[in-house]
Amino acid sequence: MQLPVFADVVAASTRLEGLAVRTPLLWSPALDEAVGGRVLIKAECLQRTGSFKFRGAYNALSLIPEADRAKGVVAFSSGNHAQGVAEAARLLGMKAIIVMPADAPAIKAAGVKARGAELVTYDRARESREAIAERIRSETGATLIPSFDHFGVIAGQGTCGLEIAQQLEEMGEAADQLVCCVGGGGLIAGINLALTEKAPGIAVCGAEPEGFDDHARSLISGRRESNTRGAGSLQDALLSLAPGELTFAINQPRLKGVGVVSDGEAMQAVAFAWQHLKLVIEPGGACALAAVLSGKIVAKGKTTIVVATGGNVDAALFAKAIGA
Amino acid sequence: MQLPVFADVVAASTRLEGLAVRTPLLWSPALDEAVGGRVLIKAECLQRTGSFKFRGAYNALSLIPEADRAKGVVAFSSGNHAQGVAEAARLLGMKAIIVMPADAPAIKAAGVKARGAELVTYDRARESREAIAERIRSETGATLIPSFDHFGVIAGQGTCGLEIAQQLEEMGEAADQLVCCVGGGGLIAGINLALTEKAPGIAVCGAEPEGFDDHARSLISGRRESNTRGAGSLQDALLSLAPGELTFAINQPRLKGVGVVSDGEAMQAVAFAWQHLKLVIEPGGACALAAVLSGKIVAKGKTTIVVATGGNVDAALFAKAIGA
């Protein structure tokens, strides 16, 4: 498989212009005081579809050869990639079939259907989404759009990192480190491609849910380690089985560490974002913020960029997080 | 009383640099589709203290003569101005006493206390906050900081409008109209000062809660009309009795109209912002968004700037708005 490089991120950026939201890099005095450092939030929850996933999905769909477009696309996802693919397909006039776990947040399933995609659900514990997607692919000729381990997806997510570098320059600031949550590692791989080129002084760290710390363990062992389960965390966006082949090839030499975050810490970060940042962040999307607020990644005395990756959370869970 | 002019807004902007957040002007494809036009949200809910009020409060406190600073400040407010004054006083090392209705959102009272200010509560229906504040002022020598009808407050709020003009220029965009909620009219007066100078082509419209449509009626009658009650709306930030003297002098010749919004429409706008914009907006802060979403101010086919003025809402009411 071909690894994307920085030029592919730049090309993706051109494709996404006027379609993806250039999300803000936000400063919050309350957050600075809470951690005793300077923190800037890259608010990808404000992205089209409510998560960064639109970037990679649209870029990947744009790369499908003209001859294959009429056959549509198929994707499996816990919900944010699903919505990104559905939205990209809608904009490009393509048919999309989305394979999604039955226990995915209702708001994510609704977002997929509202965008005109066909939804196929499966049991996360007993069925193989890969097998279901492969059957659909072979029957329809649709192009499979993986949620992270894909040339076009990684390059598209990299536009988030490109914007961060540009925004720091516009603000006349430099950052010591960046923290981003890690599921399969697609976003952080894209960010790494951008920052290695544009801001190599920034140390890039991951954040993972407890029980799904495959990247943390893989960085230590030097090979791609798997998680023992595929469900069972409120941070539903981050439950990938193992690092991707492409993503790990990019991330392994670049990641400086990974903070491992409990669901309780993630929920506290959701509440902090609600009360102080006035942002709606889903538990998985708040993983990096939780790593910083909990001190698992030290932000004291530093300038830290925290990527808030998504905001698609069901009302009941959100109400629970904010103590309503 | 002296009317602030554009130069006072520019001076306020210099005072606020590095202290107020330069809030983003956000684009949301979902919102554009909902109204059939282009809408940009000036997200003042992301401002320091969770509302635009910090701008005016800090500027006003900065204008207090050195000799009077040790005696502190006193302010009455339903909660957002209160937090703005408390935060400004904290930053300037001044003592603050805040007079706040007993039925104000708990999150606002907590925000005042967390910033080290002294809180005095009163019964909104039976007691006069003006009389209480006046008693405190005469006993302590503290400077009264009105929530809207004040030279320094209006000039400070105007920095929001100045940023909007700058951000439009940076984005290479022009807007047809701007919609901003109106309580006493301080923010919209400041915005008017900025836009008259920097972007005179933008039609500025207000938005008010049902039952508190004093500006709507005052624009028609040509004189300052009062509301018949001082409480009884979920849009608690917008329950001023009548337009201010200074604010109305600025707003009367400039406002192109006012949309009047029910609490139900405001709550729907809070829910829309939660689901699609991923912003936490309080009911009063969502009044302008509600005016646009309800069609009371027509945004179809136009480019509209909507000011989302604050995000300080109690968890229970927020949960109700989002249907949890």
Side-chain angles (χ1 to χ4, degrees), chain B residues 26-268:
Chain B
L26 297 169
W27 171 53
S28 158
L31 179 54
D32 281 8
E33 289 188 20
V35 305
R38 183 162 176 83
V39 181
L40 298 169
I41 300 272
K42 180 64 171 171
E44 281 295 298
C45 50
L46 307 179
Q47 185 53 265
R48 189 170 200 139
T49 72
S51 92
F52 71 96
K53 290 283 192 180
F54 173 73
R55 298 176 184 269
Y58 187 88
N59 190 51
L61 265 66
S62 300
L63 294 173
I64 296 173
E66 197 60 51
D68 294 332
R69 291 197 178 190
K71 294 175 217 154
V73 292
V74 58
F76 47 85
S77 150
S78 72
N80 281 334
H81 177 60
Q83 289 183 88
V85 170
E87 179 76 347
R90 183 175 77 96
L91 292 172
L92 291 164
M94 293 168 72
K95 182 176 157 60
I97 303 174
I98 306 293
V99 182
M100 215 166 152
D103 65 350
I107 193 174
K108 294 180 178 177
V112 165
K113 283 189 274 193
R115 292 178 173 89
E118 186 183 330
L119 190 63
V120 176
T121 57
Y122 72 97
D123 182 330
R124 206 195 276 256
R126 292 185 313 188
E127 290 182 272
S128 161
R129 60 186 191 176
E130 288 82 358
I132 296 170
E134 175 53 31
R135 195 195 66 230
I136 293 168
R137 200 193 59 73
S138 68
E139 283 170 11
T140 62
T143 303
L144 178 70
I145 308 293
S147 60
F148 53 88
D149 216 21
H150 180 277
F151 176 92
V153 170
I154 296 170
Q157 318 304 29
T159 60
C160 174
L162 197 60
E163 287 176 10
I164 290 169
Q166 290 166 344
Q167 288 166 321
L168 282 173
E169 201 178 318
E170 287 164 12
M171 294 160 75
E173 301 217 32
D176 300 303
Q177 60 184 358
L178 176 145
V179 190
C180 178
C181 60
V182 183
L187 175 59
I188 206 166
I191 288 174
N192 267 320
L193 291 180
L195 294 190
T196 297
E197 185 80 18
K198 301 296 285 182
I202 300 176
V204 177
C205 301
E208 289 183 315
E210 275 181 15
F212 300 86
D213 58 344
D214 48 309
H215 280 82
R217 289 182 286 108
S218 300
L219 286 180
I220 291 166
S221 73
R223 59 177 195 194
R224 295 190 292 143
E225 304 287 347
S226 295
N227 299 313
T228 52
R229 54 193 174 127
S233 166
L234 293 176
Q235 300 171 66
D236 62 277
L238 305 177
L239 310 189
S240 304
L241 189 64
E245 194 181 327
L246 297 178
T247 57
F248 196 62
I250 295 168
N251 290 327
Q252 187 184 21
R254 292 176 171 93
L255 285 185
K256 296 294 181 286
V258 177
V260 179
V261 166
S262 71
D263 277 357
E265 290 165 339
M267 290 286 270
Q268 282 172 23

Side-chain angles (χ1 to χ4, degrees), chain A residues 18-21 24 26-27 29 33 45-46 48 50 87 90 107 274-275 277-280 311-316 318-319 322-324, chain B residues 18-21 24 26-27 29 33 45-46 48 50 87 90 107 274-275 277-280 311-316 318-319 322-324:
Chain A
L19 294 171
V21 173
L26 297 168
W27 171 53
E33 290 188 21
C45 50
L46 307 179
R48 188 170 201 137
E87 179 76 348
R90 182 175 77 96
I107 193 173
W274 176 76
Q275 184 173 354
L277 309 180
K278 306 304 174 188
L279 293 175
V280 177
N312 296 311
V313 50
D314 280 342
F318 194 75
I322 67 177
Chain B
L19 294 171
V21 173
L26 297 169
W27 171 53
E33 289 188 20
C45 50
L46 307 179
R48 189 170 200 139
E87 179 76 347
R90 183 175 77 96
I107 193 174
W274 176 77
Q275 185 172 354
L277 309 181
K278 306 304 174 188
L279 293 176
V280 177
N312 294 313
V313 50
D314 279 341
F318 194 76
I322 66 176

Side-chain angles (χ1 to χ4, degrees), chain A residues 22-319:
Chain A
R22 190 185 203 243
T23 58
L25 192 60
L26 297 168
W27 171 53
S28 158
L31 179 53
D32 281 8
E33 290 188 21
V35 305
R38 183 161 175 84
V39 181
L40 298 169
I41 300 272
K42 180 64 172 170
E44 281 295 298
C45 50
L46 307 179
Q47 185 52 265
R48 188 170 201 137
T49 72
S51 92
F52 71 94
K53 289 285 192 179
F54 173 74
R55 298 176 184 269
Y58 187 88
N59 189 52
L61 265 65
S62 300
L63 294 173
I64 296 173
E66 198 58 54
D68 294 332
R69 291 198 177 191
K71 293 176 217 153
V73 292
V74 58
F76 48 85
S77 150
S78 71
N80 281 334
H81 177 60
Q83 289 183 86
V85 170
E87 179 76 348
R90 182 175 77 96
L91 292 172
L92 291 164
M94 292 169 71
K95 181 176 157 59
I97 303 173
I98 306 293
V99 182
M100 214 165 153
D103 65 351
I107 193 173
K108 294 180 177 177
V112 165
K113 283 189 273 193
R115 292 178 171 87
E118 185 183 330
L119 191 63
V120 175
T121 57
Y122 72 97
D123 181 331
R124 208 195 275 256
R126 292 185 314 191
E127 291 182 272
S128 160
R129 59 187 192 175
E130 288 82 358
I132 296 169
E134 175 53 32
R135 195 194 65 229
I136 292 167
R137 200 194 59 72
S138 69
E139 283 171 11
T140 63
T143 303
L144 178 70
I145 308 293
S147 60
F148 55 88
D149 216 20
H150 179 277
F151 176 92
V153 170
I154 296 169
Q157 318 304 29
T159 61
C160 173
L162 198 58
E163 288 176 9
I164 290 169
Q166 291 165 345
Q167 288 166 321
L168 282 173
E169 200 177 319
E170 287 164 12
M171 294 161 75
E173 301 217 33
D176 300 304
Q177 60 184 357
L178 176 145
V179 190
C180 178
C181 62
V182 183
L187 174 59
I188 205 165
I191 288 173
N192 267 320
L193 290 180
L195 294 190
T196 298
E197 187 80 18
K198 301 296 283 183
I202 300 176
V204 177
C205 300
E208 290 184 314
E210 275 182 14
F212 300 87
D213 59 344
D214 47 310
H215 280 81
R217 289 182 287 109
S218 299
L219 287 181
I220 292 167
S221 73
R223 58 177 196 194
R224 295 191 291 143
E225 304 288 346
S226 296
N227 299 314
T228 52
R229 54 193 174 127
S233 167
L234 294 177
Q235 301 171 66
D236 62 277
L238 306 178
L239 311 188
S240 305
L241 189 64
E245 195 181 328
L246 297 178
T247 57
F248 196 63
I250 295 168
N251 290 326
Q252 188 184 21
R254 292 175 171 93
L255 284 184
K256 295 295 181 283
V258 177
V260 179
V261 166
S262 71
D263 277 356
E265 289 165 338
M267 291 287 270
Q268 283 171 23
V270 171
F272 186 96
W274 176 76
Q275 184 173 354
H276 296 292
L277 309 180
K278 306 304 174 188
L279 293 175
V280 177
I281 309 182
E282 60 185 278
C287 185
L289 178 60
V292 164
L293 285 173
S294 67
K296 288 188 173 170
I297 290 181
V298 177
K300 193 173 177 177
K302 297 180 180 175
T303 296
T304 304
I305 293 163
V306 167
V307 188
T309 50
N312 296 311
V313 50
D314 280 342
L317 184 62
F318 194 75

